[in-house]
Amino acid sequence: MATNAIDQTRRMLSLVTYLRERPGAHVQDVARAFGITEDELISDLDVLPMCGTSFRGGDLLDIDTDGDRIWWHNPDDVAEPLRLAADEATALLVAARAVATLPGLRESDRLALVRATAKLETAAGESGAASSRLSVTFEAEGGVFADVDRAISERRRLWLRYYSPARDELTEREVDPIRLFAVGHTYMEGWCRLSEARRTFRLDRVAEIRLLDAPAAPPELELRDLSAGLVQPAAEDPEVVIEVGTGGRWVAEYYPHDCAEELPDGGLRITLRTPDPASLRRLALRLGGDGRIVTPPELADSAREAAREALAAYEDAL
């Protein structure tokens, strides 16, 4: 069953208590206790060392694993009573009030957040008074995140208007959400009813979203391992060869590729695979004089035609 962001946070909070009481716990035992895979547990353990009792990073959780057992090296330090400075209390209060206004937030979570905020205000006293004069407005992605998180929790279908950069168009589709995850940007993985296939949607490309009354019923799918990145080309995907100059060497850093050969002029000849070669037309336009598509020839022709159309549109606008 897919886990939403709030449920994962709850699990990780419980994990801290569990590990404190069981030093040197075995990975497989902890994963079994929480009903998750060992890979999911390791993913949680990668996040926990970035958490702690100070925004300044002085009291972070010192938790690590050798793949078999889990060790928490500073449980006594972290267990000391929390003392918030004035700026920390203000930041917490501002953030809590902002999150409480997110559309799509479950009412039980909203009420819990309001109660926690009230307790924090009382504890902060005059130190937290400045927070009432500050406010935060989330960008559109925040509202989309809350709606997707709620849809996953309530197992409801979503309606989207989604921008596809490869085709430069907006499409309307119904999606059964599976999970939220972040790899550079925040994404939703779901079963798209338009294409009848698993698809990944970047939240900042969702132009409009609406929860539907229809229940979400995605097929049983094995979740992809994203540890190697979001884009993981398959051996059977079409091969594309791109030559770039010195100003386009960054392509080898951002695009998974089979090989990158040095060229005499300081550039690179990059061979990569992609299930959708047409999506690389935008890359060719972005590179301009710093790169060109070599093969397949039909893609190279398509990129040149797109460049001519873009130039013509620019000249007409002058």
Side-chain angles (χ1 to χ4, degrees), residues 70-90:
I70 304 169
W71 304 98
W72 185 355
H73 303 293
N74 64 338
D76 294 333
D77 293 341
V78 175
E80 292 180 357
L82 178 62
R83 297 288 186 267
L84 291 178
D87 60 332
E88 293 176 327
T90 298

Side-chain angles (χ1 to χ4, degrees), residues 15-184:
L15 183 59
V16 170
T17 302
Y18 185 95
L19 294 177
R20 176 176 171 77
E21 297 173 352
R22 296 168 178 81
H26 288 279
V27 169
Q28 61 180 3
D29 294 337
V30 178
R32 187 184 306 112
F34 281 82
I36 57 178
T37 66
E38 292 185 19
D39 287 342
E40 288 174 318
L41 174 59
I42 296 299
S43 179
D44 287 349
L45 295 177
D46 288 340
V47 174
L48 284 177
M50 294 183 282
C51 305
T53 58
S54 173
F55 294 164
R56 300 178 179 87
D59 300 297
L60 299 181
L61 303 178
D62 187 4
I63 296 176
D64 64 29
T65 176
D66 58 6
D68 177 41
R69 305 183 73 178
I70 304 169
W71 304 98
W72 185 355
H73 303 293
N74 64 338
D76 294 333
D77 293 341
V78 175
E80 292 180 357
L82 178 62
R83 297 288 186 267
L84 291 178
D87 60 332
E88 293 176 327
T90 298
L92 270 177
L93 287 168
V94 171
R97 293 193 187 102
V99 172
T101 65
L102 280 176
L105 188 66
R106 283 171 285 180
E107 190 60 24
S108 59
D109 292 317
R110 192 189 309 278
L111 291 175
L113 187 57
V114 169
R115 290 193 297 269
T117 303
K119 293 178 180 178
L120 182 57
E121 287 175 335
T122 301
E126 294 183 2
S127 298
S131 66
S132 63
R133 299 192 293 271
L134 301 173
S135 63
V136 173
T137 301
F138 285 102
E139 295 181 358
E141 184 176 322
V144 173
F145 181 97
D147 283 336
V148 174
D149 185 72
R150 179 180 173 187
I152 292 173
S153 174
E154 299 178 3
R155 300 184 182 181
R156 292 168 62 181
R157 186 170 298 175
L158 288 165
W159 173 88
L160 307 176
R161 288 183 67 237
Y162 186 76
Y163 173 69
S164 173
R167 294 187 294 273
D168 192 25
E169 66 180 6
L170 283 167
T171 58
E172 297 184 11
R173 57 187 77 204
E174 293 186 6
V175 178
D176 292 344
I178 297 173
R179 63 170 170 169
L180 282 161
F181 63 90
V183 180

Side-chain angles (χ1 to χ4, degrees), residues 239-243 269-272 280 292-296:
E239 183 180 272
V240 178
V241 177
I242 302 174
E243 289 187 354
R269 182 182 179 91
I270 303 170
T271 302
L272 54 83
L280 295 178
R292 68 186 183 95
I293 294 174
V294 179
T295 60

